Amino acid sequence: MITVPRSAIATRGLWPWLVGLGLLVVVSLVAIAFGAVSLPLATVVDALRGVGDPANVSIVRELRLPRILVAALVGAGLAMSGGALQGTMRNPLAEPYLLGVSGGAAVGAVMAMAFGVQAPALITGCAFAGAAMATLVVTALARVVGGSGDTRLLLMAGVVVGAFANAAILVALADAPPERLRGALWWMMGSAADASWGAVGRSAAALLLLGTALVWRARDLDVLALGSEPAAALGVDVDRASRHIFLVSSWLAAATVAAAGLVGFVGLVVPNLARALGARQHRPMLLLSALYGAVLLVAADLLARTARAPAELPLGAVTALVGVPFFLSQLRKVAW
């Protein structure tokens, strides 16, 4: 049996974890306090306990807290999905949005909504199916052209699948009523505005189940990072392990799409940040990515709803402002 030394599991001490937890607490409190109606910190604490003005309690507990929790869970899920995809592909540029996985999930969810489906469970199931199909198409295209491990081929295949996904969504929405069209388009740009306690429960369940599965397969990811031939020599069924990790990562990305729409680049930026903080092995990298992914998306959602208040920016646009420059810098490193 392959074992990973305990020293390899640790990051550079506890400080990345403590800093991440501190940032998450601070950003969450700020996100609860600020909005269309700003609340003092003492009022926020009382409202969280269910004490004080009923209007303030409703704002905090029914509007802002579910939204923050959904953003945190979506950010954690995207970061873990991106980290696992990067590991199984040995590709630091891999992430659900760029590989077309999120686009495939969006096709499934938007088509379900276009046909009048309203049950969240059915929409989530359609998103899962779309993400799985997009994953199969991307890897098949890259393999047919010249090899699924080539960074450029994977990215080009992801761009093609993403473009097709956008076209399919537009076709599905062509005859949709105006109110459904506006809602779907806003959802495609990413938003946590419709967060509810039901969405929190579904997102938490998906993250707990699928995130645990990825952490459990972390040793396989460590071995796959050595390359296909060394991994096979160490007793890992490379095709089977890669397929399983890919599928679980896609399902996790699909759950985030169903909860908050298309939010890109979180799965690209955060795993690379976790590695920079010292998480070299995949188990601590995935867990640290989940923590900082939650921080990033809660902060991005706060910026989205306060930067041009009372108007609200698309959440996907805010994350793209961070992700695109980072992607270009990483692409230059890979190219050279």
Side-chain angles (χ1 to χ4, degrees), residues 254-278:
T256 67
V257 172
L262 287 176
V263 180
F265 298 100
V266 176
L268 169 68
V269 174
V270 178
N272 284 285
L273 172 63
R275 294 188 192 96
L277 292 173

Side-chain angles (χ1 to χ4, degrees), residues 126-139:
C126 291
F128 284 163
M133 182 62 67
T135 299
L136 293 175
V137 172
V138 168
T139 53

Side-chain angles (χ1 to χ4, degrees), residues 1-335:
M1 183 177 66
I2 301 168
T3 59
V4 179
R6 185 177 298 273
S7 60
I9 297 178
T11 58
R12 297 173 182 171
L14 290 176
W15 72 264
W17 303 92
L18 296 176
V19 170
L21 287 171
L23 286 173
L24 183 58
V25 171
V26 171
V27 171
S28 297
L29 288 175
V30 172
I32 294 175
F34 287 93
V37 177
S38 297
L39 302 173
L41 182 59
T43 302
V44 169
V45 174
D46 288 341
L48 288 172
R49 295 165 47 222
V51 177
D53 187 341
N56 292 336
V57 173
S58 179
I59 289 172
V60 170
R61 300 181 69 171
E62 300 302 325
L63 296 178
R64 293 185 186 172
L65 187 57
R67 179 167 184 163
I68 290 165
L69 290 174
V70 165
L73 291 167
V74 167
L78 285 172
M80 293 187 77
S81 176
L85 288 173
Q86 290 172 13
T88 192
M89 290 183 175
R90 302 181 301 279
N91 178 358
L93 297 179
E95 73 111 22
Y97 185 80
L98 294 177
L99 290 175
V101 175
S102 294
V107 170
V110 169
M111 283 191 171
M113 290 188 291
F115 285 102
V117 175
Q118 296 181 351
L122 290 178
I123 293 175
T124 301
C126 291
F128 284 163
M133 182 62 67
T135 299
L136 293 175
V137 172
V138 168
T139 53
L141 283 175
R143 186 175 289 112
V144 167
V145 173
S148 60
D150 190 296
T151 296
R152 292 165 296 181
L153 291 178
L154 284 167
L155 290 175
M156 285 188 289
V159 169
V160 171
V161 171
F164 179 81
N166 288 334
I169 289 172
L170 293 176
V171 170
L173 294 176
D175 296 328
E179 62 278 4
R180 189 178 297 168
L181 179 62
R182 286 193 297 270
L185 289 176
W186 181 251
W187 180 84
M188 285 171 56
M189 294 185 289
S191 174
D194 293 332
S196 64
W197 285 110
V200 171
R202 291 188 296 272
S203 299
L207 181 63
L208 180 62
L209 178 64
L210 300 173
T212 299
L214 290 179
V215 172
W216 183 68
R217 300 301 296 264
R219 288 185 177 180
D220 288 341
L221 282 167
D222 291 333
V223 179
L224 288 172
L226 301 174
S228 298
E229 293 183 1
L234 289 171
V236 173
D237 187 334
V238 175
D239 289 339
R240 182 180 180 184
S242 299
R243 186 166 57 250
H244 286 179
I245 294 169
F246 227 89
L247 189 58
V248 173
S249 301
S250 300
W251 285 347
L252 186 52
T256 67
V257 172
L262 287 176
V263 180
F265 298 100
V266 176
L268 169 68
V269 174
V270 178
N272 284 285
L273 172 63
R275 294 188 192 96
L277 292 173
R280 301 299 181 184
Q281 302 298 322
H282 282 85
R283 179 166 290 125
M285 186 273 289
L286 291 173
L287 294 173
L288 197 62
S289 294
L291 176 59
Y292 280 89
V295 173
L296 175 60
L297 211 60
V298 171
D301 183 60
L302 172 62
L303 181 62
R305 61 186 175 85
T306 58
R308 296 182 60 186
E312 186 169 319
L313 299 175
L315 184 56
V318 176
T319 57
L321 291 175
V322 176
V324 170
F326 184 86
F327 171 75
L328 293 176
S329 67
Q330 291 296 112
L331 183 63
R332 183 177 181 182
K333 291 179 182 179
V334 171

